[in-house]
Amino acid sequence: MGDYLVVGVHSDAEVEQNKGPCVMKEDERYAAVAGCKWVDEVVRDAPYVTTMEMLDTYDIDFVVHGDDITTAADGSDCYQMVKDAGRYRECRRTVGVSTTELVGRMLLLTRDHHIRGSRSVRSPIQGVDAAAVADFSQGSPAGVLTGIAHYLSTSKKIVQFSSGREPAAGDRVVYVDGAFDLFHTGHIEFLRRARELGDYLLVGVHDDQTVNAVKGGNFPVMNLQERVLGVLQCRYVDEVVIGAPYSITKDVLEDVYHVDAVAHGASDQPLDIDGKDPYALPKERGIYHEVDHPGLDLTTSAIINRIIDNRHVYIERQARKAKKAVSEAEAEQREKEVRAALHI
């Protein structure tokens, strides 16, 4: 739609006033947006209601938003001013991808979002207090949360996200792997530092069954397709191996590209289901590296614990979002009717 993308990110205070409590803290959200390869500039503490003054301050030609209306705390359209000024564009909203959807999955502790999942009895989630989870799910009325959406990607979408770049002759290829669930700033900082070990970063993303077999519970919160796209949008990633084996094999190191280095975060790594070290082969070859970074404390389990620790707050958030969604849908329908009448 344009040549330079500026993304405004709201502060925690603005989001809480107009929408509800944030899952990610504002500094984490600033870093996450800055890590997206399509973003040129991040505006911190952007106003929740977009103003003409802000557009002029940052020399912005037009604002882009999904084709769903977003309202402020007072019920007003957040983009009405820029719409009236003719500086507004819409893109189709991706159904099933939202913070509300992901919070709902965590609240419900469901596995229904897995592409192919077992329907066995839930097991305790690694890194999350089992008693808290049990109490949490029993006290969470499904009606105020969310239905489980099944986001399905296509080859076209994968191509849109892929860099399409091959390693050049002499490039040092670095391989990392993981679940990359609820893709967050801890992942981004790790990938940035891993990329510094070479010239080309290849990322293996484990499938849903592998992650669930190792971590248990309802992990992963995001399914394989969602997690692959989350990794591909990161500016430090060159290519992804979809459904990579949990234990690194000769095929991984030699058949995709010749891998010169394997990196893993400097934290405890669960053993494979056969009890073996998944990094045994790269360690034997002397190409294994541990990467230390400041985001080690931010994990998928830590994010889930934020939801669990503030259980009632997030249930209320989901209820408010559901009620707000109804009013926004009604406003969206009225706007479509007006446009149709005016032949816009």
Side-chain angles (χ1 to χ4, degrees), residues 17-268:
Q17 178 184 349
N18 291 279
K19 191 174 184 178
C22 297
V23 176
M24 302 290 190
K25 300 173 184 177
E26 61 188 71
D27 286 341
E28 295 167 352
R29 293 184 287 110
Y30 297 149
V33 174
C36 178
K37 64 184 178 184
W38 293 296
V39 176
D40 296 296
E41 182 179 351
V42 176
V43 176
R44 298 185 171 211
D45 194 15
Y48 201 80
V49 175
T50 304
T51 63
M52 297 302 298
E53 180 183 6
M54 180 185 172
L55 267 60
D56 293 338
T57 298
Y58 291 94
D59 194 25
I60 293 170
D61 296 301
F62 57 88
V63 176
V64 178
H65 190 263
D67 55 358
D68 56 320
I69 287 181
T70 298
T71 57
D74 62 2
S76 62
D77 185 339
C78 294
Y79 299 99
Q80 194 60 56
M81 282 185 277
V82 293
K83 287 178 180 179
D84 293 341
R87 295 170 69 177
Y88 177 81
R89 304 285 188 277
E90 280 186 354
C91 61
R92 185 178 179 184
R93 181 179 181 272
T94 304
V95 178
V97 179
S98 68
T99 304
T100 302
E101 162 69 21
L102 294 178
V103 169
R105 292 180 189 179
M106 287 183 273
L107 291 174
L108 293 171
L109 295 177
T110 180
R111 289 182 189 160
D112 291 344
H113 56 280
H114 293 183
I115 294 174
R116 293 185 306 277
S118 167
R119 294 189 179 274
S120 58
V121 178
R122 297 185 181 103
S123 58
I125 298 178
Q126 188 179 68
V128 178
D129 182 77
V133 170
D135 177 64
F136 188 39
S137 61
Q138 289 169 9
S140 302
V144 301
L145 305 177
T146 180
I148 297 303
H150 296 266
Y151 174 71
L152 298 176
S153 187
T154 62
S155 59
K156 182 179 179 181
K157 183 66 69 177
I158 295 290
V159 170
Q160 288 175 337
F161 275 60
S162 177
S163 69
R165 189 175 84 85
E166 294 286 321
D171 275 357
R172 181 176 168 84
V173 177
V174 180
Y175 178 77
V176 302
D177 63 355
F180 298 100
D181 200 10
L182 299 177
F183 195 79
H184 52 70
T185 53
H187 295 135
I188 295 169
E189 186 59 25
F190 164 65
L191 293 172
R192 183 183 73 81
R193 297 199 178 197
R195 184 71 159 68
E196 293 174 351
L197 295 173
D199 309 291
Y200 191 94
L201 185 60
L202 177 65
V203 181
V205 182
H206 307 312
D207 65 31
D208 297 345
Q209 288 67 47
T210 298
V211 176
N212 190 258
V214 173
K215 293 194 172 186
N218 71 326
F219 281 131
V221 176
M222 301 177 75
N223 68 41
L224 176 61
Q225 296 176 359
E226 295 165 340
R227 292 182 287 113
V228 165
L229 294 181
V231 172
L232 281 173
Q233 62 79 36
C234 180
R235 65 175 67 249
Y236 306 113
V237 175
D238 293 294
E239 184 59 286
V240 166
V241 176
I242 302 173
Y246 191 76
S247 289
I248 297 176
T249 63
K250 181 181 177 181
D251 292 341
V252 171
L253 299 180
E254 298 178 4
D255 285 2
V256 182
Y257 302 113
H258 175 76
V259 173
D260 300 286
V262 174
H264 179 65
S267 59
D268 292 337

